Amino acid sequence: MDAAPPAIIRIQADEEAGQAVGGTCGRAGLLRLARVQAERRSDGQWGVLVHVRNTTPRPILFTLSLRAAGRELANPGNQPYRVGGAETLAVPTGPSPRPVPTAEVAASLVLNCPM
């Protein structure tokens, strides 16, 4: 019997507006949440891709943290990410025991830009 393809759920914010989130870059509107995508893993958990959109014409270095679904899902080591000017970067997070809705991600996502 062939295994079923992995389940992919796209939970999408308004692409034009994006969703403002916490942190220095998020509150300033420099970086916005563009989309959340969840993919079921072979172990039954969910991997979550957080798509972060840079609203400026210049590249931005940022860190993120995300606590959702009752656990820390992103960046426990405070790893920096780089997103090009006017680009969107998909950052893998998780695992999560369930798909995490965009509203829950937006409420707990923190994007900070080092000064």
Side-chain angles (χ1 to χ4, degrees):
M1 175 183 261
D2 290 335
I8 296 176
I9 296 178
R10 292 172 201 256
I11 307 166
Q12 194 157 346
D14 180 299
E15 282 291 338
E16 290 302 312
Q19 289 196 21
V21 295
T24 57
C25 288
R27 280 192 294 273
L30 302 175
L31 297 176
R32 299 179 72 80
L33 175 62
R35 183 173 73 184
V36 176
Q37 181 179 344
E39 183 173 318
R40 189 164 196 114
R41 300 171 5 157
S42 61
D43 65 1
Q45 295 284 309
W46 290 84
V48 181
L49 281 176
V50 175
H51 297 256
V52 177
R53 184 164 45 101
N54 181 351
T55 63
T56 73
R58 62 180 172 72
I60 293 180
L61 187 67
F62 69 97
T63 61
L64 69 88
S65 65
L66 173 62
R67 181 160 183 83
R71 62 175 65 177
E72 187 68 35
L73 295 181
N75 212 18
N78 215 23
Q79 170 189 348
Y81 296 94
R82 183 184 181 278
V83 61
E87 292 182 357
T88 300
L89 178 69
V91 179
T93 67
S96 171
R98 62 177 171 77
V100 183
T102 297
E104 186 176 348
V105 171
S108 55
L109 183 64
V110 176
L111 301 170
N112 286 312
C113 295
M115 298 312 265

